[in-house]
Amino acid sequence: MAKRIAIVNALVVSMTDSRQPREGFVCIRDGDIDEVGAGAPSFPTDGIDIIDAAGAVLMPGLVNAHTHLYQVLLRAVWEDLELMPWLKRIYGCARVLTPAHFYNGSLLGCVESIRSGVTTVCEHNFLNPSPECALEAIRAMQDAGLRAVFARTIMDAGEIVPECTKEKPEQAFRLIEALVARYQHSQLLTFMTGPNTPPINTTSELLREVRRFADANSLGISAHVAESHSVVDAVRHQHSKNGVVEFLQQFGIPAHNSIFAHSVHVSNDEIRILKETGTSVSHNPVSNMMLGDGVAPVVEMLRQGVNVALGTDGAASNHSQDLFDTMKAASLLQKVHHRDAGVIKPNDVLRMATIGGAKALGLDSICGTIEVGKRADLILVDIDTLHSQPVNDIFSQIVHCAKASDVKTVIVDGEILMRDRQFTRLDDHKILAEAKLANRDLMQRVSRLSF
Ligand SMILES: [Zn+2]
């Protein structure tokens, strides 16, 4: 018999257009969004799991388009450093990171993500001292029940990259092929590949080869792009190019299935390359502010029609996995940067956190909006709260008033992962206790390292 859920009395923010939402209902059948309607449902409700959403917004689950989940173990470590010396330490951790750190850290990251309304994560993986590290990060996301993109990237050069995590392209490609084959029947997991942070930890040979490999295996590409001035200086001095996007274009890296995290220091000409190639950007404003990187030209990207998604980045530079924080930061940062209160609209920010993210990850036919035929990746956000009432503009108030702690219920692929703030498949107390132990172990190991 079909498994049916009906969410009723909800203020439905479908993200299919910018009209003010109406009160209505959504029906789910075997994980598919089956019906979206105004008012109350007219069908008999026997045998259907009814969720009364009175006082809440029903919206698409949030898409975190760029993170490193295990980094919750590294919250507020090395937080006063700018990108290069900070990266030297983050990479250096590869010398002591174990598969258990990846599992316990990533699982806590998943708990925090679900609690804050995230239903899809793009885990940009870049430290692989052993193949088990990737397997354990994936196991955590699967245990949590999140929809996930595992972007298994490669580093083959760079003085700040420890030898244990540098790979020859061919050797990395074999491992990625094995990963993709192992999880080929996994409904919630897809893969990307990519150069991690070109050009500071990738050779030109890798950039050429990774595009060929990605195309041969129908994989998208995820990369850290133009995050700080230091990366742009590297392409100028070593490769005589004006910017990282321009540099990457000669290798065919910008493309419709590529997502460039950060893209802080990109020129208007480079934004035109992003638009013409259909490349998406993951904007990570909290991380950019934390590391003092600068302000990404998001307004110009939107003006030129680039698809922009939103990410937290890892907790080592955020220090949370909270996309509500990130939405508010994305809005306010552009307003203050341009000294123009109207320069970005709340609906633009909500699009980045939902359908923009889904499109960037190649999942826009599956999730990102509330539409019949898509899978049910949905969240209920309580707006009957002191900090959200009275409601005058729901889009602005989701971005600027709502908090992660207002997320009541989270559904991924039709499965209820959290209902009225209670997890259905995870023991969050146990996960937290194990993550604390993993953190203590990691910090002891890191204290013996020299950077
Ligand atoms: Zn990152």
Side-chain angles (χ1 to χ4, degrees):
M1 206 163 107
K3 186 166 178 281
R4 298 179 69 191
I5 302 171
I7 304 164
V8 300
N9 301 320
L11 193 60
V12 182
V13 174
S14 65
M15 296 311 298
T16 52
D17 55 46
S18 54
R19 280 178 297 184
Q20 288 293 316
R22 292 179 302 172
E23 197 161 301
F25 64 92
V26 168
C27 293
I28 303 165
R29 181 191 289 266
D30 289 335
D32 281 329
I33 297 174
D34 192 38
E35 192 176 350
V36 182
S42 55
F43 49 80
T45 53
D46 304 356
I48 301 179
D49 183 1
I50 303 288
I51 297 176
D52 186 349
V57 160
L58 175 63
M59 60 181 287
L62 304 181
V63 177
N64 188 350
H66 182 82
T67 188
H68 319 286
L69 288 165
Y70 75 93
Q71 283 188 2
V72 297
L73 301 183
L74 296 169
R75 290 188 215 271
V77 179
W78 307 307
E79 68 177 0
D80 294 334
L81 297 175
E82 62 175 36
L83 184 71
M84 283 302 177
W86 177 82
L87 266 184
K88 188 174 183 185
R89 285 154 180 81
I90 294 292
Y91 293 164
C93 277
R95 290 179 278 163
V96 293
L97 274 166
T98 66
H101 296 138
F102 276 94
Y103 181 75
N104 291 304
S106 299
L107 197 53
L108 181 61
C110 289
V111 167
E112 188 186 358
S113 301
I114 295 168
R115 270 256 192 263
S116 57
V118 169
T119 53
T120 298
V121 290
C122 177
E123 170 68 12
H124 178 107
N125 153 282
F126 59 87
L127 293 181
N128 289 288
S130 75
E132 288 72 29
C133 294
L135 295 177
E136 289 299 270
I138 291 169
R139 185 164 71 91
M141 296 188 293
Q142 295 210 309
D143 286 353
L146 284 168
R147 193 178 300 284
V149 176
F150 191 75
R152 202 304 198 173
T153 67
I154 307 165
M155 299 192 282
D156 70 339
E159 61 187 54
I160 64 173
V161 183
E163 288 303 319
C164 65
T165 199
K166 278 182 193 162
E167 298 173 290
K168 294 255 178 276
E170 277 307 314
Q171 161 203 2
F173 295 155
R174 296 292 84 77
L175 289 170
I176 296 168
E177 283 169 351
L179 266 186
V180 173
R182 182 180 179 125
Y183 295 100
Q184 61 181 317
H185 301 300
S186 208
Q187 198 171 352
L188 297 183
L189 180 66
T190 52
F191 287 90
M192 284 185 165
T193 185
N196 181 37
T197 308
I200 63 165
N201 49 45
T202 55
T203 60
S204 294
E205 182 206 356
L206 170 62
L207 292 169
R208 248 185 306 277
E209 287 297 302
V210 82
R211 168 46 73 197
R212 184 195 57 72
F213 174 73
D215 289 347
N217 291 275
S218 304
L219 296 172
I221 283 182
S222 174
H224 292 110
V225 171
E227 181 172 357
S228 74
H229 272 302
S230 48
V231 186
V232 179
D233 288 346
V235 271
R236 286 189 180 146
H237 292 135
Q238 294 161 20
H239 302 280
S240 305
K241 293 287 182 184
N242 291 319
V244 181
V245 174
E246 187 190 317
F247 167 68
L248 291 175
Q249 196 184 23
Q250 65 189 305
F251 305 102
I253 302 293
H256 71 281
N257 59 357
S258 296
I259 176 167
F260 287 180
H262 304 301
S263 305
V264 173
H265 300 284
V266 293
S267 65
N268 283 356
D269 287 345
E270 289 184 301
I271 294 173
R272 190 158 58 246
I273 294 172
L274 297 174
K275 168 62 182 164
E276 285 170 2
T277 55
T279 304
S280 292
V281 167
S282 170
H283 176 43
N284 311 304
V286 176
S287 175
N288 297 157
M289 288 192 276
M290 193 65 83
L291 291 169
D293 289 329
V295 181
V298 167
V299 170
E300 180 62 18
M301 290 176 192
L302 294 175
R303 194 189 67 74
Q304 289 204 31
V306 174
N307 179 54
V308 182
L310 214 53
T312 56
D313 208 354
S317 62
N318 183 294
H319 301 355
S320 83
Q321 293 296 287
D322 179 346
L323 263 188
F324 278 88
D325 263 7
T326 301
M327 284 196 289
K328 188 166 183 174
S331 172
L332 300 185
L333 181 58
Q334 295 301 323
K335 289 171 189 274
V336 71
H337 179 65
H338 292 274
R339 299 187 196 178
D340 178 353
V343 79
I344 190 164
K345 303 294 181 203
N347 206 48
D348 295 331
V349 178
L350 271 177
R351 281 186 56 81
M352 291 183 214
T354 55
I355 185 64
K359 187 174 176 201
L361 301 176
L363 298 171
D364 48 323
S365 64
I366 294 172
C367 60
T369 56
I370 300 181
E371 289 179 85
V372 170
K374 285 197 178 183
R375 298 298 284 171
D377 286 12
L378 306 170
I379 59 173
L380 282 174
V381 184
D382 189 3
I383 50 165
D384 197 13
T385 61
L386 290 171
H387 53 264
S388 286
Q389 288 292 332
V391 173
N392 294 304
D393 180 330
I394 192 61
F395 298 120
S396 174
Q397 290 179 244
I398 294 170
V399 172
H400 299 116
C401 304
K403 300 176 187 304
S405 54
D406 299 332
V407 176
K408 293 172 66 175
T409 296
V410 174
I411 301 173
V412 175
D413 208 45
E415 180 185 345
I416 301 171
L417 298 184
M418 185 171 80
R419 187 165 189 159
D420 292 327
R421 304 280 304 155
Q422 299 297 312
F423 284 101
T424 57
R425 59 148 91 182
L426 293 178
D427 180 344
D428 48 324
H429 297 290
K430 181 165 172 272
I431 290 166
L432 179 56
E434 287 174 358
K436 284 180 180 174
L437 289 176
N439 164 261
R440 201 172 309 155
D441 179 61
L442 177 58
M443 288 299 104
Q444 277 175 2
R445 289 163 180 262
V446 166
S447 70
R448 294 195 285 269
L449 295 175
S450 55
F451 295 103

